[in-house]
């Protein structure tokens, strides 16, 4: 997104102005105004474009703050849990700011690692344009513990050449999605109609949410699983019905995850797949380049959009920082509208600000279905530290795979999953 020069200057000024936000205090008892700030950001597959954007932000920040230096370390996503836990346990060796996955928020808050920046964030002028779901991803029990960095959302990729050959239109409902997938596989048995995965949690959730189901109800320490409700079971049944000889055989698809389904589509082995805005580059590099399009995943009724999971990353200030005011200011600069626009240009990261997203959608057509999906309403996982355990324990993939394999029916599998979820919620306190 190439921002107009005047707009870029104004946004940069606004971002740097955030550095003067009032402090809400720091657990270290210090709020030093000079010295070195340490930042941990995630290492991307191709990290150079991200580094260039970040370096530009840091140069501007250091110029505006005499006597301040910023040191960035890019850490592997796979080892973040160990690194962050060690940082929480030893504040003296910890960074001042970290990038973190938005599903990690509640767990990091419970561990006492993230600073409450509610007052600063809500007084930051740009924050008013933050997408509600992105804002929810930094919120625990009404308090804010960071700033959204970028958002990721999924939609329906489909092969235009296959659809044209068979005289098909993109499905307008989830029921049509199922019948369209079966129609394609019947006509072209070498293709999955819709590539689905038994381990693809975030591809399955829209089916549950579109049918009125929820993962859990409650908030804070009082979550209770809702995965075994009648509405959730309807969605589970709809998703698992796509596994079989008439679309995506269980033998090949039961163990597939999200990356596997996108890879199958990009390789020309599937006519449809549920993929993210972040999947665009992989599809463009595949065999289907020039022969696909993207539309929002349809909901239950014609014209509706199935709620998608709003993934993405955030930037947070560590509670033990001795540079509270500077750290909050740098957080705002790293997540500002200008920075998010530049990261979209460099990496394809979808901005968390509604107005910036509208601008990039106007300039880059491939973004439009994802922006429409976000505008139609997205969902998030329970803001509980238990979610990390539920996710890591593969509770939902196990449930889907039990149904797909025929080991359990939907009622029994969802009841078993609900029990495991409630045990995790209970142990989280």
């Amino acid at each position: 997104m190439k921002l107009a020069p005047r707009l870029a200057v104004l946004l940069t000024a606004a971002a740097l102005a955030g550095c003067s936000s009032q402090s809400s205090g720091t657990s270290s008892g210090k709020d030093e105004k000079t010295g070195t700030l340490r930042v941990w950001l995630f290492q991307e597959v191709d990290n150079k474009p991200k580094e260039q954007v970040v370096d530009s932000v840091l140069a501007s920040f250091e110029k505006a703050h005499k006597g301040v230096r910023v040191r960035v370390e890019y850490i592997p996503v796979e080892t973040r849990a160990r690194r962050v836990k060690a940082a929480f346990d030893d504040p003296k060796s910890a960074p001042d700011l970290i990038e973190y996955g938005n599903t990690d928020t509640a767990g990091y808050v419970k561990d006492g690692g993230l600073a409450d920046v509610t007052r600063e964030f809500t007084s930051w002028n740009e924050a008013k344009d933050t997408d509600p779901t992105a804002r929810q991803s930094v919120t625990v029990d009404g308090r804010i513990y960071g700033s959204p960095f970028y958002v990721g959302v999924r939609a329906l990729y489909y092969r235009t050449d296959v659809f044209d050959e068979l005289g098909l239109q993109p499905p307008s409902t989830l029921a049509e999605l199922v019948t369209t997938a079966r129609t394609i596989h019947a006509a072209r048995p070498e293709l999955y109609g819709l590539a689905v995965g038994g381990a693809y949690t975030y591809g399955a959730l829209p089916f549950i949410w579109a049918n009125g189901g929820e993962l859990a109800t409650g908030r804070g320490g009082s979550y209770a699983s809702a995965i075994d409700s009648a509405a959730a079971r309807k969605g589970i049944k709809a998703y698992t019905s796509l596994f079989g000889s008439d679309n995506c055989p269980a033998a090949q698809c039961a163990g597939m995850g999200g990356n596997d389904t996108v890879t199958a589509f990009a390789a020309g082995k599937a006519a449809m797949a549920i993929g993210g805005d972040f999947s665009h580059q992989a599809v463009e590099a595949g065999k289907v380049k020039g022969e696909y399009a993207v539309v929002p995943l349809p909901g239950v009724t014609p014209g509706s959009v199935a709620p998608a999971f709003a993934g993405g990353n955030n930037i947070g200030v560590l509670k033990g920082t001795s540079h509270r005011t500077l750290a909050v200011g740098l957080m705002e600069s790293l997540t500002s509208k200008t920075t998010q626009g530049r990261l979209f240009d460099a990496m394809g990261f979808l901005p968390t600000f509604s107005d910036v997203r509208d601008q990039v959608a106007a300039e880059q057509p491939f973004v439009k279905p994802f922006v429409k999906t976000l505008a139609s309403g997205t969902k998030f996982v329970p803001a509980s530290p238990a979610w990390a355990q539920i996710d890591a324990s593969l509770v939902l993939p196990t449930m889907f795979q039990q149904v797909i394999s025929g080991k359990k029916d939907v009622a029994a599998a969802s009841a078993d999953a609900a029990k495991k979820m409630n045990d995790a919620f209970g142990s989280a306190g």
Side-chain angles (χ1 to χ4, degrees):
M1 182 190 68
K2 301 299 186 282
L3 294 169
R6 177 172 170 77
L7 178 59
V9 170
L10 290 173
L11 291 179
T12 301
L16 292 175
C19 303
S20 62
S21 299
Q22 279 192 314
S23 169
S24 294
T26 172
S27 65
S28 70
K30 299 178 181 179
D31 190 13
E32 299 170 3
K33 302 303 190 294
T34 58
T36 300
L37 289 175
R38 297 179 60 214
V39 183
W40 287 356
L41 299 177
F42 289 157
Q43 176 86 32
E44 309 296 336
V45 176
D46 179 8
N47 206 57
K48 184 58 65 176
K50 182 177 182 178
E51 290 178 30
Q52 291 172 345
V53 174
V54 170
D55 287 348
S56 176
V57 174
L58 302 188
S60 296
F61 188 85
E62 290 177 348
K63 185 176 180 180
H65 297 84
K66 302 301 181 184
V68 174
R69 291 292 177 264
V70 183
R71 192 171 74 208
V72 177
E73 181 180 354
Y74 291 91
I75 66 173
V77 177
E78 296 78 12
T79 61
R80 73 186 190 281
R82 176 180 57 80
R83 293 288 301 273
V84 172
K85 184 180 186 304
F88 290 171
D89 291 343
D90 183 15
K92 290 183 179 180
S93 65
D96 298 275
L97 297 95
I98 59 170
E99 178 179 355
Y100 64 93
N102 63 12
T103 59
D104 292 329
T105 307
Y108 289 175
V109 170
K110 182 190 177 186
D111 292 341
L114 293 177
D116 181 341
V117 295
T118 305
R119 186 164 69 178
E120 293 97 332
F121 185 84
T122 54
S123 65
W124 181 30
N125 183 55
E126 294 193 1
K128 68 182 186 303
D129 296 319
T130 302
D131 176 83
T133 308
R135 183 173 178 133
Q136 181 186 352
S137 78
V138 293
T139 304
V140 177
D141 291 338
R143 308 301 295 177
I144 296 173
Y145 294 90
S147 180
F149 193 32
Y150 67 87
V151 65
V153 71
R154 293 166 177 83
L156 182 67
Y157 286 73
Y158 71 96
R159 289 272 298 275
T160 52
D161 58 333
V162 174
F163 273 64
D164 288 345
E165 174 193 333
L166 301 179
L168 299 172
Q169 296 294 320
S172 63
T173 66
L174 283 179
E176 284 186 16
L177 176 68
V178 175
T179 58
T180 300
R182 290 171 177 165
T183 297
I184 293 169
H185 187 67
R188 297 280 302 273
E190 78 279 11
L191 295 176
Y192 302 136
L194 171 69
V196 287
Y200 190 8
T201 299
Y202 296 110
L205 290 181
F207 289 76
I208 294 172
W209 287 327
N211 280 281
E214 297 288 351
L215 290 172
T217 58
R219 61 179 297 176
S222 60
Y223 276 104
S225 175
I227 199 66
D228 57 345
S229 69
R233 286 174 175 174
K234 189 174 181 180
I236 296 167
K237 184 177 180 181
Y239 185 69
T240 55
S241 73
L242 288 159
F243 294 81
S245 59
D246 56 357
N247 174 53
C248 202
Q252 286 89 49
C253 303
M256 284 170 45
N259 287 344
D260 299 319
T261 64
V262 171
T263 298
F265 180 83
K269 297 178 181 179
M272 295 183 287
I274 299 169
D277 55 279
F278 42 83
S279 306
H280 179 254
Q281 291 180 349
V283 176
E284 278 288 291
K287 291 183 179 180
V288 299
K289 179 178 174 65
E291 296 183 329
Y292 74 93
V294 185
V295 293
L297 184 69
V300 172
T301 59
S304 66
V305 176
F309 167 71
N313 287 357
N314 304 323
I315 301 288
V317 174
L318 266 67
K319 198 172 184 179
T321 181
S322 60
H323 298 89
R324 167 75 184 230
T325 299
L326 287 170
V328 170
L330 182 55
M331 175 190 76
E332 293 174 355
S333 294
L334 285 168
T335 61
S336 71
K337 292 183 178 184
T338 299
T339 303
Q340 290 194 20
R342 291 172 179 166
L343 282 169
F344 174 81
D345 285 339
M347 303 292 296
F349 292 167
L350 203 56
T352 64
F353 297 101
S354 301
D355 56 340
V356 182
R357 275 209 305 265
D358 289 342
Q359 186 173 345
V360 301
E363 297 176 5
Q364 297 288 350
F366 85 85
V367 176
K368 291 181 180 179
F370 301 104
V371 172
K372 183 176 180 181
T373 298
L374 285 162
S376 298
T378 53
K379 293 276 194 176
F380 196 60
V381 299
S384 167
W387 180 254
Q389 177 185 338
I390 292 167
D391 200 26
S393 300
L394 305 177
V395 172
L396 297 183
T398 298
M399 175 187 70
F400 295 130
Q401 290 164 350
Q402 287 173 337
V403 176
I404 294 163
S405 67
K407 291 182 179 178
K408 293 185 178 181
D409 61 18
V410 172
S414 62
D416 185 49
K419 182 181 184 305
K420 293 175 182 176
M421 290 176 70
N422 284 330
D423 287 345
F425 288 135
S427 66

